């Protein structure tokens, strides 16, 4: 089996592998971290597996996924209940809110079809399937709410794609060898940040919304994933694996969060090394004021 085919199979199975690789006796800790002072607060620590916090656009709660459902968690740690429990299930860790806070976007592991992308009004309504093709893993929405960007496998290649929030024809934005993943718009809409394995190591990149001016941002010996741009556009939070993961994003590895200056390319540590990886910070998790990020660390 060639490497590209193997990578395609592994990523198609990622939602299932994520659950299978998690030990039964795992603790998940939902943490918010002030990127300026370094202050941390534990919001939730429970003997179960949950993933991928989003911060609500009004700053009042966090959104996590667990067991295929979406949960709202207050900043005091109180579980505020499931979000659309009768309409949303089989959700993976790619979910989030539009910039105006009115639309929820999520990737769902449709039975027999792998992951596809849906939207639903946060005020209530009917889920709308956006990507007919699969696998498609959502990561970003444009500030004007008109375009979604996502990672998708098409004809054996894993690239960044874009599509209207109303559905329709999808547009390929990257075509480099290896996996391109984690696309996310900057708050001013001028850039899409993403990560790519095109050099043989995973690094952070950015490009213009039409796919032009692709620019590498990290150059070290870490595996750098999921650059989440800050509200002021000056920095991005990345999760860095200490060891080469060969293009994969596994659970249960030594990782740390770092803050990347997107202009100077300087990077500083935000956390010490901890047990994490898949599920820690897959999706955008900045607080609206740009002071805090939310993430999950795990305990064996």
């Amino acid at each position: 089996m060639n490497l590209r085919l193997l990578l395609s199979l592994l990523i198609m199975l990622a939602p299932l592998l994520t659950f299978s690789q998690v030990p039964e006796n795992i603790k998940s800790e939902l943490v918010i971290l002030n990127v300026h002072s370094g202050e941390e607060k534990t919001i939730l620590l429970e003997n179960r597996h949950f993933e991928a916090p989003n911060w609500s656009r009004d700053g009042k709660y966090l959104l996590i996924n667990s067991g295929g459902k979406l949960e709202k968690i207050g900043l005091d740690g109180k579980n505020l209940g499931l979000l659309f429990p009768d309409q949303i299930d089989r959700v993976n860790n790619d979910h989030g809110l539009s910039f105006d806070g009115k639309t929820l976007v999520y990737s769902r592991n449709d039975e027999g079809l792998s992951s596809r992308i849906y939207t639903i009004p946060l005020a209530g309504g009917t889920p709308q399937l956006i990507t007919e093709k699969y696998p498609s893993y959502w990561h970003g929405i444009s500030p004007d709410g008109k375009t979604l960007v996502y990672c998708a496998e098409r004809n054996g290649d894993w690239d960044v794609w874009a599509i209207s929030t109303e559905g329709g024809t999808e547009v390929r934005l990257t075509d480099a060898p290896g996996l391109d993943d984690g696309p996310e718009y900057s708050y001013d809409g001028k850039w899409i940040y993403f990560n790519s394995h095109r050099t043989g190591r995973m690094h952070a990149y950015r490009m213009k919304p039409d796919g032009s001016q692709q620019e590498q941002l990290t150059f070290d010996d870490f595996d750098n994933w999921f650059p989440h741009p800050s509200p002021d556009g000056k920095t991005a939070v990345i999760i860095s694996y200490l060891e080469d993961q060969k293009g994969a994003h596994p659970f249960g590895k030594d990782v740390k969060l770092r803050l990347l200056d997107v202009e100077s390319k300087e990077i500083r540590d935000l956390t010490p090394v901890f047990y994490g990886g898949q599920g820690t910070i897959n999706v955008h998790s900045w607080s609206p004021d740009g002071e805090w990020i939310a993430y999950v660390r795990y305990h064996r």
Side-chain angles (χ1 to χ4, degrees):
M1 182 181 294
N2 64 48
L3 182 60
R4 176 170 291 183
L5 178 57
L6 177 61
L7 179 61
S8 295
L9 289 173
L10 287 173
I11 299 177
M12 285 184 72
L13 293 172
L16 297 178
L17 292 173
T18 297
F19 289 107
S20 64
Q21 66 183 310
V22 176
E24 290 184 5
N25 297 319
I26 196 73
K27 286 185 178 181
S28 303
E29 183 180 7
L30 177 58
V31 181
I32 61 172
L33 166 67
N34 189 296
V35 298
H36 305 294
S37 69
E39 178 187 2
E40 281 194 347
K41 298 178 181 179
T42 295
I43 302 300
L44 189 66
L45 176 61
E46 293 187 341
N47 290 311
R48 65 180 178 119
H49 179 243
F50 56 73
E51 301 178 302
N54 305 123
W55 210 298
S56 67
R57 295 296 185 177
D58 61 9
K60 294 182 179 180
Y61 65 88
L62 298 163
L63 190 65
I64 59 173
N65 65 287
S66 182
K69 295 288 189 177
L70 292 174
E71 301 176 20
K72 295 170 65 174
I73 306 295
L75 297 183
D76 59 359
K78 183 178 179 180
N79 194 312
L80 302 178
L82 297 176
L83 192 59
F84 304 119
D86 296 329
Q87 295 170 285
I88 295 179
D89 62 358
R90 303 177 68 91
V91 173
N92 58 50
N93 52 31
D94 296 331
H95 46 76
L97 299 166
S98 58
F99 280 79
D100 63 9
K102 295 181 179 180
T103 303
L104 172 69
V105 191
Y106 60 96
S107 298
R108 181 181 189 271
N109 300 324
D110 287 337
E111 189 171 0
L113 298 178
S114 186
S115 178
R116 299 195 293 179
I117 299 169
Y118 292 77
T119 62
I120 187 172
L122 198 61
T126 302
Q128 179 183 355
L129 174 64
I130 305 300
T131 55
E132 293 284 348
K133 296 181 180 180
Y134 58 89
S136 301
Y137 294 93
W138 176 78
H139 279 275
I141 186 170
S142 59
D144 62 10
K146 295 181 178 180
T147 306
L148 303 179
V149 284
Y150 51 101
C151 169
E153 183 271 326
R154 302 291 183 260
N155 300 315
D157 294 319
W158 287 90
D159 289 296
V160 173
W161 293 75
I163 195 170
S164 166
T165 49
E166 299 301 319
T169 302
E170 55 183 13
V171 178
R172 187 178 184 177
L173 297 182
T174 67
D175 60 3
L179 171 68
D180 294 333
D181 198 357
E184 194 170 302
Y185 280 89
S186 60
Y187 276 64
D188 60 10
K190 294 181 179 180
W191 295 99
I192 293 173
Y193 287 80
F194 66 104
N195 54 277
S196 175
H197 200 249
R198 62 189 61 185
T199 66
R201 289 299 297 265
M202 194 62 75
H203 283 297
Y205 290 75
R206 67 178 179 180
M207 61 183 168
K208 292 297 185 179
D210 63 358
S212 64
Q213 297 184 42
Q214 296 184 23
E215 173 189 5
Q216 187 172 344
L217 301 175
T218 60
F219 300 87
D220 52 31
D221 293 328
F222 296 105
D223 264 17
N224 299 305
W225 283 77
F226 301 141
H228 302 308
S230 59
D232 65 9
K234 296 179 179 180
T235 60
V237 171
I238 57 176
I239 180 171
S240 298
Y241 286 84
L242 272 59
E243 298 179 347
D244 184 0
Q245 302 301 319
K246 310 299 182 184
H249 183 247
F251 171 85
K253 299 292 182 178
D254 287 336
V255 298
K256 58 183 175 179
L257 300 184
R258 302 194 293 162
L259 192 68
L260 166 70
D261 184 307
V262 300
E263 298 301 333
S264 71
K265 314 298 192 294
E266 295 180 355
I267 307 177
R268 67 176 176 87
D269 289 357
L270 289 174
T271 69
V273 176
F274 63 92
Y275 185 65
Q278 179 73 266
T280 289
I281 192 167
N282 294 61
V283 283
H284 187 80
S285 61
W286 281 90
S287 63
D289 61 9
E291 293 288 316
W292 301 80
I293 58 166
Y295 71 98
V296 179
R297 61 187 172 211
Y298 299 96
H299 303 272
R300 286 170 279 196

